[in-house]
Amino acid sequence: IGMALQGSLGNLAGGVMLLIFRPIRVGDYIAAQGHEGIVKEMGIFVTTLETFDKRHIILPNGALSNDSLVNYTSSDVRAVEITFGISYSDDMKVARNALQQLMDSDERILKQEGNLIAVSSLGESSVDILYRGFIKTEDYWACFFETQENGKLALEAAGCTIPFPQRDVHMYPTAAA
């Protein structure tokens, strides 16, 4: 009987811990146990998440309280981080200026320390430029998707090329045997 109740008692204890320490609340967007979603219900044994496609995921509170958990909405401010790749033949300053103008024109971007337009890496087929702008958490998804599209358009308007991985194959004739 003790072994059969072990999981239930662990979930009960986890539920009590979640209710006392409140790392999450109903309405928060979280990632835990390999799942992401909006917390719809917190019970004493399980927590229910709802995904964007309206699936419901039931997480046992024992595991939820004893493993890592990411709460994306616990802060009022969140960073939109997008990496844009440009061709090695493009002018990096032109690309950075185009993205900076995009950032400056978006009223949702908060004027604060931490906003950044910078070369983040020299990739295999592109120079990667990081766009990081802090916004109110409730504006995250709209800003994220619009910045993806508007960033590509701004870079193209500035004459930059968005590269994609390519391979050059060279075929050499061989002597016939």
Side-chain angles (χ1 to χ4, degrees), residues 138-172:
E138 63 263 17
D139 293 333
Y140 180 81
W141 288 112
C143 187
F144 176 81
F145 290 123
E146 289 172 23
T147 302
Q148 293 263 6
E149 181 176 345
N150 293 335
K152 180 180 185 300
L153 294 172
L155 289 170
E156 288 173 343
C160 296
T161 306
I162 309 289
F164 52 90
Q166 303 178 53
R167 296 277 185 243
D168 288 333
V169 177
H170 301 273
M171 298 179 73
Y172 298 101

Side-chain angles (χ1 to χ4, degrees), residues 64-120:
L64 190 60
S65 67
N66 288 316
D67 203 356
S68 61
L69 174 124
V70 179
N71 188 336
Y72 291 102
T73 53
S74 61
S75 176
D76 293 337
V77 175
R78 188 167 173 202
V80 169
E81 288 191 352
I82 301 170
T83 300
F84 293 96
I86 62 169
S87 172
Y88 273 94
S89 62
D90 292 336
D91 186 334
M92 289 186 295
K93 290 180 182 176
V94 169
R96 287 178 62 189
N97 287 339
L99 292 174
Q100 187 65 56
Q101 288 175 5
L102 177 65
M103 182 180 282
D104 293 342
S105 68
D106 192 335
E107 295 177 2
R108 296 171 296 196
I109 303 292
L110 304 172
K111 308 303 180 215
Q112 71 177 44
E113 189 175 333
N115 290 343
L116 179 68
I117 307 286
V119 174
S120 61

